[in-house]
Amino acid sequence: MLEINDLRVSVEGKQILKGLNLSVPAGEVHAIMGPNGAGKSTLAYALAGREGYEHEGGSAKLLGNSIIGLDPEDRAALGLFLAFQYPVEIPGVAGMTFLKTALNSMRVARGQEELSALDFLKLVRERLKSLGIDEAMLKRPVNVGFSGGEKKRNEVLQMAMLEPKFCVLDETDSGLDIDALKVVADGVNALRSPDRGMLVITHYQRLLDYIKPDRVHVLASGQIVKSGGPELALQLEAEGYGELLKETAA
Amino acid sequence: MSATAETIADVEKLGDRYKYGFVTEIESETAPKGLSEDVIRFISAKKEEPDWLLEWRLQAYAKWQKMTEPNWAKLGYPPIDYQDSYYYSAPKQKDAPKSLDEVDPELLETYAKLGIPLKEQEMLAGVRNVAVDAVFDSVSVATTFKAKLAEAGVIFCSISEAVREYPDLVRKYLGSVVPQDDNFFAALNCAVYTDGSFVYVPKGVKCPMELSTYFRINAENTGQFERTLIIADEGSYVSYLEGCTAPMRDENQLHAAVVELVAHKDAEIKYSTVQNWYPGDENGKGGIYNFVTKRALCQGDRSKVMWTQVETGSAITWKYPSCVLQGDDSQGEFYSVAIANNMQQADTGTKMIHMGKRTRSRIISKGISAGRAQNSYRGLVKMLPSADKGRNFTQCDSLLIGDKCGAHTFPYIESQNRSARVEHEATTSKISEDQLFYCRQRGIGEEEAVALVVNGFCREVLQQLPMEFAVEAQKLVGISLEGSVG
Ligand SMILES: Nc1ncnc2c1ncn2[C@@H]1O[C@H](COP(=O)(O)OP(=O)(O)OP(=O)(O)O)[C@@H](O)[C@H]1O
Ligand SMILES: [Mg+2]
């Protein structure tokens, strides 16, 4: 579903992704772990098409379509969703308006009818309920003054609303207390399906207790240096990156 | 459909940035080109005005001839040749229409295209509960909902009609807030104004509906000089909205309006403007020169005036809706969104003159610059010695889209009373790449993302508009920023 081959990306003239290979089949959840500054968020932004993330080589395909060079909104329309490590505040724009604009833009891009105000409201309420989120959150401007946990929950709500084909979650677990972590994980798990793929970036094995990954990859210095099953995460938790990086450097 | 999505769809359908840029083919009657005493006499005669009004016009003309065009604003434009314009143009019609059925169908069609239904039946069918006076070029063509307003005792008609029907009221208040020689453009307006709206709300009456005037410049080479006078008597309330459009023309057209508001004891006036005159093309060709004097006198104790403006059009905007806070405990508010894109230039703001005790004013200004536009906020807050415990709060935010435009802030504060307090806050920022990327990642196209973020930036102001117009204004924000990114 997601096929990345020898991807090279630079930011401000500095190469951060240095020939990255990764393949996530439909229906699978893969985790990416790796030390700070390894390039995990860079990978997420490069996939989403953020300006300033220069493509210098290699390929990235979503469902067989090359996404290199596409505008962010076109990648979103293809089904790519990024839950941000640091969700952005948009003053003055109510969450409800934001969601509705996003959903309808997406529907139009996919050749579907826009949802009427009523159908939209029905859908939002359904999603809010299943995620256990209070509707009041959507009356407030997007992410403005939200606590860290609220911001992350808002990301998961948007994900549930937009029903993407492929989700990249960038440290969606960081800053969450145990209960919030469960809510977020339940939300993510509810979206697991045979025709959806996920890439979960995290520092903590803890999240992977709730969201069981099919594969775990270690990203270091702009490359995937090791891949394995869920047990790899346990090993990293126990040993840290030190041993592993020494091993791969050798 | 969200407002912003609709905007994009609308624009795409039209395939053109300025959707009001059509010309109505209609026969009109015009005064000879240029400005002279004779032209003023012609206008006055056409309107069958009483002698005092002709005299008043001629007096203003004499003053105007001795005045010079102001040049202190941060605006650049070639000199205006005041002899190269027509000062009167009226759609030809045998007699003034007595009812809407007599209004030329072409005209009604024009207003329908603009989205302003003038037919009362349509309005009663639930479109909007708004009474409309439509001014086409120089004359007022229709005022809807007259009967319902009359029942409440509210007078809402064209100012020409008011001169005929309520001469005492007009004579008492005309020029009482903005003196003839207040400034160059106001003096010009006094001399040649052709029509506009008149509102009188009697004591204790809450006007039962929104009042609205739609101004449209249609004829070529024609200046539009409208004159609006609103009087809210003791304890009354009225909310009034003006909208403006003009066809696309290569030449610049002059618009110099004067608006006077008088609020008596405990009265409240809400005056909203959605200004969308033709802004000219991307290269600065054509567009309206908009030189407007708007002032309110909060004459009575506890009176209140609130100006809300959404200024998206015009090649040049020179406009400072002001409040003279004379009554004790009177209040003035100014909420403004000014958008300048491409080659547009805007120099706009307000004046709050505090005279009475405990007078309060509040200024919220949101300026958005894009393309190669220049956008200036210019505001004066003045506390006179009598303004004990006067209070002002000013918040002035500028947003830049791209790096070829400019935003400027000129706040003037003069305090002559030590118990008065004036607060001023200002920010300037570039539209945030983070915000745009976040929106786009969620599937929102770039232009729509800009419209959404800018609407958020302006929210505090837009939410002051009467509900009927808020959606329209939001769309306008999106349309006027078309082509500003990418
Ligand atoms: N805009 C930028 N300008 C300069 N350097 C950047 C920029 N964005 C990222 N980098 C650099 O790229 C490298 C990778 O950063 P990235 O955010 O991808 O790391 P990460 O793996 O997500 O780290 P963390 O675990 O701390 O979130 C870092 O060295 C970072 O400083
Ligand atoms: Mg990161």
Side-chain angles (χ1 to χ4, degrees):
Chain A
M1 171 164 249
L2 180 72
E3 294 290 339
I4 302 175
N5 254 305
D6 194 29
L7 186 65
R8 291 159 199 275
V9 171
S10 68
V11 182
E12 306 214 334
K14 185 176 151 205
Q15 195 165 94
I16 309 290
L17 300 184
K18 301 167 182 163
L20 185 139
N21 295 298
L22 181 67
S23 166
V24 183
E28 293 196 3
V29 173
H30 288 201
I32 288 195
M33 302 179 84
N36 294 129
K40 301 182 297 298
S41 294
T42 303
L43 172 63
Y45 286 144
L47 288 176
R50 180 164 199 158
E51 220 172 293
Y53 289 72
E54 302 297 338
H55 175 249
E56 300 209 314
S59 65
K61 287 184 182 165
L62 182 62
L63 289 157
N65 305 298
S66 170
I67 54 171
I68 304 292
L70 293 186
D71 281 339
E73 57 270 35
D74 296 333
R75 300 182 194 215
L78 280 176
L80 183 75
F81 182 92
L82 168 61
F84 285 60
Q85 182 174 1
Y86 306 107
V88 180
E89 302 188 355
I90 312 181
V93 178
M96 202 64 102
T97 308
F98 180 77
L99 258 187
K100 191 168 163 227
T101 310
L103 183 64
N104 280 333
S105 304
M106 213 80 115
R107 291 180 67 94
V108 169
R110 292 171 183 167
Q112 294 169 301
E113 287 263 309
E114 294 195 2
L115 280 191
S116 71
L118 208 66
D119 289 342
F120 170 78
L121 203 62
K122 246 167 74 186
L123 184 65
V124 181
R125 293 208 166 127
E126 216 179 276
R127 295 285 188 272
L128 283 167
K129 198 163 160 218
S130 65
L131 289 169
I133 299 174
D134 190 343
E135 193 175 324
M137 189 171 90
L138 290 179
K139 305 228 159 86
R140 294 166 61 182
V142 181
N143 292 323
V144 178
F146 283 24
S147 73
E150 284 170 332
K151 284 184 182 171
K152 296 299 170 81
R153 254 182 290 182
N154 194 19
E155 295 292 288
V156 175
L157 170 66
Q158 292 179 35
M159 189 163 95
M161 284 296 293
L162 299 175
E163 300 183 317
K165 300 227 166 55
F166 195 91
C167 311
V168 179
L169 289 91
D170 193 356
E171 295 195 26
T172 303
D173 54 331
S174 60
L176 295 185
D177 63 35
I178 302 292
D179 293 344
L181 182 68
K182 257 195 77 64
V183 169
V184 165
D186 287 349
V188 172
N189 284 327
L191 283 169
R192 284 180 88 147
S193 93
D195 49 357
R196 185 172 282 140
M198 292 192 192
L199 194 57
V200 178
I201 298 170
T202 183
H203 283 294
Y204 305 107
Q205 153 64 25
R206 190 184 63 166
L207 177 71
L208 304 179
D209 286 339
Y210 295 102
I211 304 173
K212 294 257 180 312
D214 296 291
R215 303 278 295 164
V216 175
H217 308 276
V218 179
L219 201 167
S221 310
Q223 290 182 324
I224 301 294
V225 295
K226 194 174 168 92
S227 301
E231 72 287 348
L232 180 55
L234 290 166
Q235 186 195 335
L236 290 172
E237 179 103 325
E239 300 173 4
Y241 294 108
E243 275 306 306
L244 179 88
L245 295 183
K246 247 185 266 165
E247 234 173 81
T248 51
Chain B
M1 202 186 212
S2 73
T4 40
E6 259 173 56
T7 307
I8 304 298
D10 279 356
V11 171
E12 279 166 359
K13 255 185 276 155
L14 286 150
D16 200 35
R17 293 227 171 95
Y18 188 73
K19 75 181 221 188
Y20 309 104
F22 57 88
V23 179
T24 306
E25 289 303 332
I26 200 161
E27 250 199 291
S28 51
E29 191 169 27
T30 359
K33 208 176 199 178
L35 187 52
S36 65
E37 281 203 5
D38 285 344
V39 167
I40 292 166
R41 285 179 201 281
F42 175 94
I43 294 170
S44 191
K46 270 280 161 226
K47 306 188 82 63
E48 298 170 28
E49 286 177 355
D51 288 344
W52 66 263
L53 191 49
L54 174 62
E55 285 311 315
W56 189 79
R57 287 176 180 279
L58 291 173
Q59 200 180 28
Y61 179 61
K63 289 177 185 166
W64 179 73
Q65 283 180 302
K66 293 196 201 88
M67 296 170 85
T68 46
E69 208 173 311
N71 61 2
W72 41 260
K74 199 172 166 47
L75 300 170
Y77 54 94
I80 300 170
D81 180 357
Y82 291 91
Q83 296 304 337
D84 192 35
S85 190
Y86 291 99
Y87 288 86
Y88 181 81
S89 172
K92 220 174 215 169
Q93 208 154 30
K94 276 169 251 108
D95 293 298
K98 296 206 173 43
S99 77
L100 275 175
D101 296 334
E102 289 176 29
V103 174
D104 189 329
E106 279 259 8
L107 273 181
L108 292 180
E109 178 76 5
T110 300
Y111 283 98
K113 261 199 243 180
L114 294 169
I116 313 150
L118 286 181
K119 287 276 195 193
E120 287 186 41
Q121 305 89 288
E122 284 173 27
M123 308 200 27
L124 289 168
V127 189
R128 285 173 173 179
N129 189 22
V130 178
V132 183
D133 183 25
V135 176
F136 194 82
D137 285 334
S138 306
V139 292
S140 174
V141 288
T143 308
T144 61
F145 272 130
K146 260 193 180 154
K148 192 166 170 195
L149 289 169
E151 218 172 280
V154 174
I155 302 171
F156 177 40
C157 61
S158 74
I159 196 150
S160 309
E161 188 179 336
V163 168
R164 288 191 301 271
E165 308 289 329
Y166 316 98
D168 296 341
L169 274 177
V170 176
R171 204 169 174 175
K172 180 169 169 196
Y173 290 104
L174 189 73
S176 70
V177 184
V178 178
Q180 280 188 332
D181 54 359
D182 184 81
N183 68 72
F184 182 82
F185 298 108
L188 178 63
N189 175 286
C190 292
V192 302
Y193 87 81
T194 34
D195 219 332
S197 295
F198 176 82
V199 178
Y200 174 78
V201 191
K203 273 187 195 165
V205 172
K206 302 260 173 279
C207 186
M209 62 182 74
E210 298 282 339
L211 302 183
S212 167
T213 300
Y214 233 88
F215 295 108
R216 167 102 180 143
I217 297 179
N218 189 61
E220 219 168 325
N221 280 325
T222 306
Q224 179 153 314
F225 303 91
E226 82 262 358
R227 185 100 200 172
T228 299
L229 179 55
I230 299 178
I231 300 134
D233 218 327
E234 291 180 13
S236 69
Y237 168 82
V238 64
S239 167
Y240 179 95
L241 181 127
E242 59 169 14
C244 333
T245 61
M248 288 151 92
R249 300 216 185 262
D250 287 346
E251 314 82 44
N252 296 107
Q253 286 174 287
L254 180 63
H255 174 255
V258 172
V259 174
E260 297 178 282
L261 313 182
V262 180
H264 288 284
K265 209 166 81 180
D266 297 306
E268 181 176 347
I269 303 175
K270 246 177 113 159
Y271 192 107
S272 314
T273 303
V274 176
Q275 186 266 109
N276 186 27
W277 295 118
Y278 178 52
D281 69 10
E282 296 83 44
N283 302 312
K285 196 169 172 59
I288 301 290
Y289 287 172
N290 192 29
F291 297 100
V292 173
T293 305
K294 292 183 166 172
R295 194 171 305 154
L297 176 61
C298 286
Q299 194 177 56
D301 294 349
R302 294 172 304 279
S303 58
K304 181 173 175 185
V305 166
M306 185 172 137
W307 296 104
T308 305
Q309 61 173 26
V310 177
E311 302 280 323
T312 62
S314 295
I316 286 182
T317 299
W318 180 98
K319 183 181 166 188
Y320 317 90
S322 308
C323 295
V324 178
L325 302 170
Q326 192 179 68
D328 289 345
D329 300 290
S330 61
Q331 291 178 57
E333 294 180 0
F334 174 75
Y335 293 91
S336 170
V337 168
I339 297 180
N341 192 4
N342 295 316
M343 297 293 283
Q344 283 178 274
Q345 304 176 66
D347 192 301
T348 182
T350 185
K351 284 189 270 184
M352 294 290 174
I353 312 296
H354 291 249
M355 296 169 74
K357 296 186 180 60
R358 296 171 304 275
T359 45
R360 277 170 293 161
S361 65
R362 184 179 169 80
I363 299 171
I364 307 288
S365 162
K366 307 279 178 180
I368 298 105
S369 324
R372 284 172 286 164
Q374 296 296 327
N375 200 338
S376 305
Y377 167 81
R378 189 181 301 278
L380 168 68
V381 176
K382 189 169 184 163
M383 296 285 175
L384 290 168
S386 52
D388 287 345
K389 295 208 169 122
R391 293 280 178 274
N392 160 266
F393 174 75
T394 300
Q395 170 81 46
C396 197
D397 299 317
S398 305
L399 187 68
L400 299 168
I401 302 175
D403 47 18
K404 295 189 188 68
C405 52
H408 317 274
T409 307
F410 304 101
Y412 305 94
I413 297 168
E414 290 173 29
S415 187
Q416 299 163 12
N417 185 308
R418 301 182 77 167
S419 69
R421 202 171 68 212
V422 177
E423 275 175 79
H424 178 92
E425 287 173 16
T427 66
T428 301
S429 52
K430 290 195 85 162
I431 193 161
S432 147
E433 287 297 331
D434 283 355
Q435 289 174 353
L436 294 182
F437 175 63
Y438 190 68
C439 293
R440 295 175 75 184
Q441 205 305 303
R442 300 303 186 243
I444 302 170
E446 190 174 22
E447 297 216 312
E448 198 171 1
V450 170
L452 194 69
V453 169
V454 173
N455 263 303
F457 173 75
C458 303
R459 205 183 102 89
E460 234 183 313
V461 173
L462 296 179
Q463 70 186 7
Q464 304 296 336
L465 287 173
M467 243 221 319
E468 289 91 335
F469 300 99
V471 174
E472 195 178 338
Q474 278 174 24
K475 285 196 222 172
L476 206 50
V477 167
I479 291 176
S480 52
L481 287 170
E482 283 268 298
S484 63
V485 286

